[in-house]
């Protein structure tokens, strides 16, 4: 530390001010993320809402999977997951298939249509993000990703 400069957490109110700044910026980020999610959801399917889009994204990373596992992995209420799965199935974005390890159970997975539409939107989303972060260094992007990961673990 350079002489004469106190660390933020050593300054009066420094940690509280930092927490308030973080809260304000997260609020802005979450609002923008919701708006973008609604835009991307409608591009996957005009009848898709932001919450079901988020579940579709999650399913694309973990499927095929039992609905009960989705509840466990997401921490969402069973009725919420059930309702969203039914909606995604109604929109032909996911399907239920037999579980090869238990013939009585069913797994949910993306349909070909769901996977194709989602891949297109994700590709566009990544391109947009690369453009928006065009002035950021690779190291800054990696550090931001690391810190977001740390925050996600702590929440």
């Amino acid at each position: 530390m350079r002489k004469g400069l106190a660390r933020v957490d050593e300054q009066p109110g420094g940690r509280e001010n930092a927490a308030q700044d973080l809260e304000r910026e997260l609020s802005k980020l979450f609002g923008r993320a919701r708006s973008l999610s609604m835009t991307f959801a409608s591009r996957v399917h005009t009848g898709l809402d932001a919450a079901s889009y988020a579940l579709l994204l999650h399913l694309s990373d973990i499927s095929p999977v039992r609905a009960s596992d989705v509840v466990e992995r997401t921490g969402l209420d069973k009725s919420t997951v059930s309702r969203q799965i039914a909606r995604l199935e109604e929109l032909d974005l996911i399907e239920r298939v037999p579980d090869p390890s238990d013939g009585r159970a069913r797994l949910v997975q993306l349909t070909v249509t769901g996977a194709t539409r989602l891949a297109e939107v994700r590709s566009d989303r990544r391109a947009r993000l690369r453009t928006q972060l065009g002035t950021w260094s690779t190291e800054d992007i990696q550090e931001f990703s690391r810190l977001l990961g740390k925050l996600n673990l702590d929440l």
Side-chain angles (χ1 to χ4, degrees):
M1 179 175 12
R2 292 189 312 211
K3 190 174 182 175
L5 293 179
R7 289 177 36 160
V8 171
D9 57 355
E10 294 171 352
Q11 297 172 3
R15 189 165 184 87
E16 180 63 27
N17 289 338
Q20 288 173 2
D21 290 345
L22 177 60
E23 178 188 23
R24 182 181 53 256
E25 294 305 321
L26 283 174
S27 179
K28 287 183 207 177
L29 177 64
F30 294 157
R32 288 182 177 137
R34 271 191 305 276
S35 177
L36 280 173
S37 286
M38 290 187 306
T39 299
F40 289 128
S42 68
R43 288 188 50 211
V44 171
H45 192 287
T46 55
L48 188 62
D49 61 70
S52 295
Y53 171 69
L55 184 61
L56 186 66
L57 285 171
H58 190 70
L59 286 172
S60 74
D61 293 335
I62 64 169
S63 70
V65 66
R66 290 182 182 189
S68 59
D69 292 335
V70 175
V71 169
E72 186 177 313
R73 290 175 184 229
T74 62
L76 295 171
D77 183 75
K78 183 179 178 180
S79 63
T80 299
V81 170
S82 179
R83 191 171 44 255
Q84 288 178 344
I85 285 176
R87 181 66 179 147
L88 291 170
E89 192 173 23
E90 180 182 300
L91 297 175
D92 192 34
L93 298 173
I94 66 165
E95 61 189 348
R96 296 175 197 260
V97 297
D99 183 341
S101 66
D102 180 354
R104 300 167 295 161
R106 308 285 284 171
L107 302 175
V108 293
Q109 65 183 21
L110 273 67
T111 60
V112 172
T113 299
T116 301
R117 288 182 182 177
L118 187 59
E120 291 169 1
V121 168
R122 280 183 128 170
S123 177
D124 289 349
R125 189 179 69 188
R126 286 186 193 111
R128 181 178 178 159
L129 191 57
R130 280 192 300 277
T131 299
Q132 290 170 325
L133 298 180
T135 61
W136 289 39
S137 71
T138 300
E139 292 79 19
D140 283 350
I141 294 170
Q142 290 171 329
E143 179 65 4
F144 186 58
S145 295
R146 185 189 71 75
L147 290 170
L148 279 176
K150 184 177 178 181
L151 177 64
N152 281 326
L153 285 174
D154 289 343
L155 292 180

